Amino acid sequence: MKAALHTDQRPQPACPAADPDLPAAAQMHALLRRRIVTGDLRPGMRLSEQDIADQYDLSRQPVREAFIRLAAEGLLEVRPQRGTFVTRINMDWVLDTRFIREATEADIVRIATRMAGPAEVGRLRAMIDRQAAVDPGDPARLVALDEEFHAALAAIAGKALVGVHLQGLKIHLDRVRHLLSAVTPAQVMVDQHRAIVDAIASQDPDMAEATMRLHLRRVFEDLPAVVRLSPELFDRAEPGLARMHYDLSMNV
């Protein structure tokens, strides 16, 4: 496949390489999924099977199969007689997934606090050092390191499979995280991760849970500004904001 996908005339970042051992349809699915989640393919953008097939030097069949999978995941919408479009970010999906993630990771970090020894704490602190060293101009790298940190906590707690299940649920939440990573100071995330690890090192599960919940509720602080700045990226933006305020007032 060719190295990059271009759907319009704007400069586009290079697409991450897919596993060459995967079938072409699976590679295309992974590439397009990544570009949608990171915002490279913007909500509302029209995609053409033929254009993408031509750009990647493929037949239309693997592209069509990738489109079907992406539509099933809620990332593409097929509009009869109009074409296929990248979906707007579903606010209800974002808020419900955030709720599930907080409830799950609050328990995970409590277990991790009981299970972590000096070696595990050392590895977590090394991860934070890598986060602190990220170039501010590379928010995607910071999101990747954030994923690594939360996966490590799940592994320490013996709940790695739970983390895998969460990955499949939080597609729209991940789209929001990439938007916020471009506007939220990296130091905020680094400091919150450090507070979580300090609580784990102190063997204080109550503090670990509290700091994790604070960390995962950061979206309530940053998302409204992004929604108001670019409402066209979101499905039901204003009702979503109203629900966000309600969830926050109800401490959920």
Side-chain angles (χ1 to χ4, degrees), residues 1 17-27:
M1 294 193 296
D19 185 343
D21 294 329
L22 292 175
Q27 290 189 56

Side-chain angles (χ1 to χ4, degrees), residues 94-112:
V94 168
L95 296 174
D96 285 346
T97 306
R98 193 219 61 82
F99 177 82
I100 293 169
R101 187 185 186 200
E102 180 182 327
T104 303
E105 295 210 33
D107 280 348
I108 283 175
V109 79
R110 292 189 70 91
I111 298 171

Side-chain angles (χ1 to χ4, degrees), residues 185-212:
Q187 194 60 43
V188 171
M189 187 195 80
V190 172
D191 288 345
Q192 290 176 342
H193 283 177
R194 186 171 285 114
I196 291 168
V197 176
D198 287 345
I200 292 172
S202 299
Q203 298 184 321
D204 187 340
D206 292 337
M207 180 58 70
E209 177 183 343
T211 52
M212 176 62 78

